[in-house]
């Protein structure tokens, strides 16, 4: 009994030590002037084609015509915690993606990157306009925000906060090809134990059973109801615009923030359920217009094959009437 207790205590102390020495730690978002890192190109984006926040920054860079070197960082969903590698933690000690490195200076947090790209690096014509971001774009950029500390906290006010909950079924499918040792590394080094615990549960229970666990089910259902309210507000805003974008024919950063929300709803199997053409014609037109922009190609090029496979598998589960997943995805 005493030996067991001593072993347990020693393990806790060792994990604490490893986390303190090698793990992620919280730092403030923004430009890290004091944290210069080695670099080869003027702009290097550390990102992952599956990451919602990464996609937002890829689009912003592409829309501003800024050439960048794409540095793929694995997420546990795509196989391993590349975000917790020592080299990456030097760029973003939070252990989250994306991070933009501009001439060796890291900028962390997707909204900070989008703001930096839009206000500091705008094109000639934007400079003439004083680089002001129209209010409606600011509004939707803020509504699409994903908080680093508590991503799902603001479901009622932020459409971005509904995204993690609605992605849980897809995360759960993706976990089935992830090794336990990769997950254990997350338990030791990640600074948000809740995120890692969900993945461990999903790996152990499988996608079908994990979505029946009460708090998980509730979170998905709350996110689903909340997203419908945000989409209604968006449909109203789009009706006030001449289209196809938020403020008329000029594309802006609010549009790019929303386009990655649509993409995530689509790949996680929700788009036609929460945003049917009949009820949301303008939102669907908005998405169609965004997908035909040249900048969309950066997302297509970086799209991991593993995500496409998992989305297909989730689609099968969700449409097979005898599964728990189909119950979750019913109209
Ligand atoms: N507020 C941050 C949130 C960053 C964030 O949560 N990124 C996710 C991907 S979208 C991530 O790195 N997840 C890795 C993990 O939690 O292990 C931002 O907008 O950049």
């Amino acid at each position: 009994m005493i030996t067991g207790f001593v072993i347990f205590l020693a393990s806790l102390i060792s994990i604490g030590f490893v986390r303190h020495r090698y793990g992620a730690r919280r730092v403030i978002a923004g430009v890290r002037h004091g944290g210069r890192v080695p670099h080869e190109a003027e702009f290097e984006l550390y990102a992952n084609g599956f990451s919602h926040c990464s996609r937002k920054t890829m689009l912003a860079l592409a829309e501003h015509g800024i050439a960048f070197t794409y540095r793929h960082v694995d997420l546990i969903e795509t196989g391993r915690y590349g975000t917790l590698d020592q080299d990456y933690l030097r760029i973003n000690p939070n252990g989250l993606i994306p991070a933009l490195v501009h001439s060796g200076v890291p900028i962390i947090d997707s909204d900070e990157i989008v703001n930096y790209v839009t206000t500091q690096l705008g094109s000639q014509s934007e400079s003439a306009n004083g680089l002001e971001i129209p209010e409606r774009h600011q509004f939707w950029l803020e509504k699409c925000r994903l908080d680093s500390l508590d991503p799902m906290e603001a479901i009622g006010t932020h459409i971005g906060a509904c995204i993690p909950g609605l992605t849980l079924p897809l995360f759960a499918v993706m976990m089935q090809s992830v090794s336990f040792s990769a997950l254990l590394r997350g338990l030791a080094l990640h600074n948000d134990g809740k995120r890692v615990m969900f993945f461990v549960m999903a790996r152990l229970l499988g996608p079908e059973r994990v979505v029946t666990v009460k708090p998980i089910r509730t979170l998905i259902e709350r996110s689903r109801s909340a997203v419908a309210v945000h989409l209604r507000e968006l449909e109203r805003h789009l009706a006030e615009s001449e289209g196809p974008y938020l403020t008329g024919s000029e594309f802006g950063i609010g549009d790019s923030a929303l386009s990655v929300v649509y993409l995530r709803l689509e790949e996680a199997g929700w788009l036609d359920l929460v945003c049917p053409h009949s009820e949301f014609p303008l939102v669907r037109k908005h998405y169609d217009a965004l997908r035909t922009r040249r900048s969309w190609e950066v997302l297509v090029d970086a799209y991991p094959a593993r995500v496409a496979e998992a989305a297909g598998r989730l689609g099968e589960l969700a449409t097979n009437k005898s599964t728990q997943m189909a119950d979750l995805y019913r109209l």
Side-chain angles (χ1 to χ4, degrees):
M1 172 80 175
I2 291 182
T3 319
F5 180 70
V6 170
I7 293 174
F8 178 69
L9 206 66
S11 314
L12 278 188
I13 292 171
S14 320
I15 290 176
F17 172 77
V18 169
R19 181 180 307 220
H20 179 72
R21 181 87 175 74
Y22 302 105
R25 65 189 162 86
R26 293 198 167 131
V27 297
I28 295 169
V31 184
R32 301 190 61 232
H33 288 293
R36 290 186 75 88
V37 292
H39 63 102
E40 281 164 21
E42 183 182 2
F43 292 100
E44 299 186 355
L45 184 71
Y46 289 78
N48 182 307
F50 175 56
S51 142
H52 176 74
C53 306
S54 299
R55 289 170 174 172
K56 217 185 323 177
T57 56
M58 285 185 223
L59 280 183
L61 287 162
E63 284 289 344
H64 283 82
I66 297 170
F68 60 94
T69 300
Y70 175 70
R71 304 241 180 254
H72 173 82
V73 180
D74 262 314
L75 290 165
I76 190 66
E77 298 91 310
T78 57
R80 61 180 290 275
Y81 277 110
T83 44
L84 299 174
D85 289 349
Q86 291 305 301
D87 284 350
Y88 184 68
L89 288 176
R90 270 191 277 283
I91 297 168
N92 184 354
N94 286 319
L96 298 173
I97 49 172
L100 177 68
V101 173
H102 181 195
S103 304
V105 177
I107 301 124
I108 59 173
D109 190 285
S110 61
D111 294 322
E112 295 288 340
I113 298 170
V114 170
N115 261 319
Y116 183 83
V117 168
T118 313
T119 60
Q120 313 279 315
L121 311 167
S123 64
Q124 295 287 313
S125 63
E126 283 167 330
S127 305
N129 292 332
L131 296 182
E132 276 211 2
I133 299 171
E135 204 183 305
R136 185 124 302 175
H137 286 283
Q138 282 288 14
F139 178 87
W140 282 100
L141 184 66
E142 171 58 26
K143 290 265 287 186
C144 292
R145 194 166 61 82
L146 193 70
D147 193 79
S148 299
L149 297 181
D150 195 349
M152 291 172 263
E153 181 206 49
I155 283 176
T157 51
H158 286 66
I159 192 169
C162 304
I163 291 302
L166 290 173
T167 314
L168 291 180
L170 182 59
F171 286 152
V173 172
M174 295 182 81
M175 267 326 103
Q176 302 318 299
S177 46
V178 171
S179 72
F180 279 107
S181 58
L183 282 161
L184 285 178
R185 185 164 165 265
L187 279 181
L189 300 178
H190 206 288
N191 66 17
D192 183 352
K194 266 193 300 179
R195 292 194 196 196
V196 187
M197 279 318 290
F198 167 77
F199 292 133
V200 173
M201 268 175 72
R203 179 70 177 84
L204 288 170
L205 297 178
E208 282 275 56
R209 282 205 306 179
V210 82
V211 297
T212 64
V213 174
K214 189 89 176 115
I216 293 175
R217 180 72 167 217
T218 308
L219 181 63
I220 300 173
E221 286 175 351
R222 275 186 53 220
S223 305
R224 179 179 173 165
S225 313
V227 87
V229 177
H230 298 303
L231 287 171
R232 259 179 241 122
E233 181 175 29
L234 177 58
E235 183 76 14
R236 281 198 304 277
H237 282 190
L238 287 168
E240 290 164 17
S241 156
E242 281 169 17
Y245 304 117
L246 277 174
T247 49
S249 57
E250 285 284 313
F251 172 90
I253 56 173
D255 297 301
S256 75
L258 281 162
S259 55
V260 300
V261 168
Y262 302 145
L263 174 58
R264 177 49 55 86
L265 291 177
E266 185 171 29
E267 70 197 344
W270 295 109
L271 191 65
D272 290 336
L273 289 178
V274 297
C275 188
H277 286 271
S278 53
E279 228 182 298
F280 298 97
L282 299 177
V283 175
R284 297 299 293 247
K285 236 171 100 184
H286 189 217
Y287 186 29
D288 287 343
L290 293 165
R291 270 186 306 189
T292 57
R293 291 185 71 82
R294 187 100 195 265
S295 58
W296 194 259
E297 283 168 25
V298 284
L299 302 189
V300 176
D301 291 346
Y303 203 85
R306 233 170 142 130
V307 183
E309 274 162 39
R313 172 82 190 113
L314 176 61
E316 282 163 21
L317 289 173
T319 48
N320 178 347
K321 295 222 168 359
S322 59
T323 66
Q324 301 277 2
M325 203 60 95
D327 188 41
L328 179 70
Y329 277 85
R330 75 188 182 287
L331 270 174

